[in-house]
Amino acid sequence: MRLLQKHLCMIAMSAALISSAHASPLVEPTLHIKPAASGAGRVALTLDACGGKTDTRILLALVENRIPATIFVTGIWLKRNAAAVAIMQAHPDLFELENHGGRHVPAVDTPQKIYGISSAGSPEAVLAEVESGAAALARTGEPAPKWFRGATAEYSPSAIAMIRKLGFKIAGFSINGDGGSLLGAKETARRIAAAKDGDVIISHINQPTHAAGEGVVQGLLALKDKGITFVRLDDAEGTGNHGTTD
């Protein structure tokens, strides 16, 4: 009963902000990690697994080169990629699985389209997207997720407040590595290789037929050659704007 009351309270709070949300632009939060105390620096690699299959070029490169990563998985992707999940779970020192939602629906509580994808459209639907993603992860035996990243990485401010009330930090980024997996290999590699101490990279691990995946691997190996250290979000102090982490 207390859980139900908590959810109703959050929904009421978000509904009260809907009129201002209509007038407010969506936000795409940034995220940086605390810079390294010494050395060449460190970056956090985050990879979205939205739906579809697994880019094994990226997954195997991470395992072979011992590169840690935070993987944001949807319930849709988890259902279709048991073999990839097993590989990740066999390397708990490398992979941290976090919440990308149940159905890959943008966490925007007013009806609209973002990059052609229909938003959740209501506080109730945002809540369902976040909680169904967490439940899907729980069914794999994974620890309860601490981070959430919504589809398209854009949010209404009122949805951010509601997600934070659920106890999740929201994962922005500072470098868009692959442009939604739509960039070519060369440009993707260039963007990732340009990462500096404290950056958080976003790319995708669910598009095995896209050229961007090759560029992700090239960019990461270039950073590794520079002596950059890779960390997962749970292993670093991350600071985001728009109230996403504080």
Side-chain angles (χ1 to χ4, degrees), residues 47-59 71-74 76-78 80-81 84 88 100 104 178 180-182 202-210 212-213 216:
L47 295 168
D48 287 2
C50 310
K53 299 181 180 180
T54 302
D55 191 332
T56 55
R57 295 170 298 181
I58 298 174
L59 180 57
I71 315 294
F72 283 90
V73 298
T74 66
I76 297 170
W77 185 87
L78 287 172
R80 300 172 179 170
N81 293 273
M88 293 175 186
H100 197 31
H104 199 246
D178 64 359
S181 193
L182 298 177
I202 182 176
S203 289
H204 292 75
I205 196 170
N206 66 307
Q207 295 289 356
T209 65
H210 289 194
V216 170

Side-chain angles (χ1 to χ4, degrees), residues 144-198:
K146 301 175 183 177
W147 291 86
F148 176 80
R149 175 180 286 155
T152 74
E154 298 216 7
Y155 309 81
S156 51
S158 47
I160 287 176
M162 185 166 63
I163 295 165
R164 293 291 288 125
K165 285 286 186 180
L166 287 171
F168 292 96
K169 294 181 179 181
I170 296 174
F173 54 91
S174 60
I175 291 183
N176 185 338
D178 64 359
S181 193
L182 298 177
L183 295 176
K186 184 176 180 179
E187 176 62 13
T188 298
R190 185 195 67 78
R191 289 188 180 195
I192 292 176
K196 299 291 192 289
D197 188 20

Side-chain angles (χ1 to χ4, degrees), residues 89 109 143 158 185 201:
Q89 291 182 323
D109 53 14
S158 47
I201 301 167

